[in-house]
Amino acid sequence: MGLSKLNQLYRAVILDAAAHPHHKGSIQSPTNEMTLHNPTCGDTVNLQVKVENGKISDIGFTGDGCTISQASASMMTDAVNGKTKAEALKMAKIFSDEAIGKKHDQDDLKLLGDAQVLTNIMQFPARIKCATLSWWALSRALEKDQSAGGVNDD
């Protein structure tokens, strides 16, 4: 497949994910929550995760943002739903590493599912924060002690 056709495919996948986001909305009884805001462009992601028996049993997001941030949140929620906390954190690390130019092998990238196409956004430095915002929210939500309850708002 030529580079032009591949870029068109990437754009189509991203536009579809943003126009028809999966897991958009609040969930019942989340165990982990995080809100992150990108002041540079105004993107906000409110992430809610329900972890039961060590696995993500439900996940949802709300907030507003550009096409890339909304597509990334949708793809991220699809990719990590049903995964263990450790698997989800590994996936977030892979995505974040790719954002800063640290390359991973193809097997690691396959773990990201459709979100793998977003790693091509990294060639546009102004869009990196847009693509990584939901992944950072996931990492912070899962790593933060949730025993006190309540929303983590940073």
Side-chain angles (χ1 to χ4, degrees):
M1 180 179 294
L3 187 57
S4 176
K5 289 195 185 271
L6 192 58
N7 283 337
Q8 289 174 359
L9 175 63
Y10 291 156
R11 276 191 288 253
V13 169
I14 291 167
L15 290 172
D16 184 60
H20 309 287
H22 298 169
H23 307 281
K24 185 144 188 186
S26 298
I27 65 170
Q28 294 291 318
S29 306
T31 58
N32 304 65
E33 298 183 57
M34 180 61 63
T35 297
L36 291 182
H37 179 73
N38 179 359
T40 306
C41 64
D43 295 340
T44 298
V45 172
N46 308 302
L47 184 68
Q48 296 180 321
V49 184
K50 187 175 204 175
V51 178
E52 295 177 305
N53 300 317
K55 286 192 173 187
I56 296 173
S57 62
D58 200 5
I59 189 166
F61 73 97
T62 59
D64 295 306
C66 69
T67 299
I68 293 170
S69 74
Q70 296 298 290
S72 185
S74 176
M75 291 177 186
M76 181 272 298
T77 57
D78 279 345
V80 302
N81 199 27
K83 302 287 192 240
T84 66
K85 182 178 168 181
E87 289 169 329
L89 287 169
K90 178 181 178 179
M91 293 165 71
K93 172 98 170 85
I94 291 166
F95 194 90
S96 294
D97 282 353
E98 286 285 323
I100 62 170
K102 184 177 178 187
K103 297 298 179 190
H104 283 263
D105 63 32
Q106 204 55 36
D107 288 337
D108 280 350
L109 292 175
K110 285 180 184 176
L111 295 174
L112 301 177
D114 285 346
Q116 181 179 350
V117 302
L118 287 165
T119 61
N120 293 302
I121 296 295
M122 307 320 173
Q123 62 187 314
F124 305 105
R127 307 309 291 193
I128 292 172
K129 286 183 181 179
C130 304
T132 56
L133 189 64
S134 59
W135 292 89
W136 292 338
L138 175 70
S139 291
R140 293 180 74 182
L142 293 178
E143 291 172 343
K144 196 159 188 173
D145 179 16
Q146 300 293 307
S147 61
V151 174
N152 301 313
D153 189 1
D154 292 60

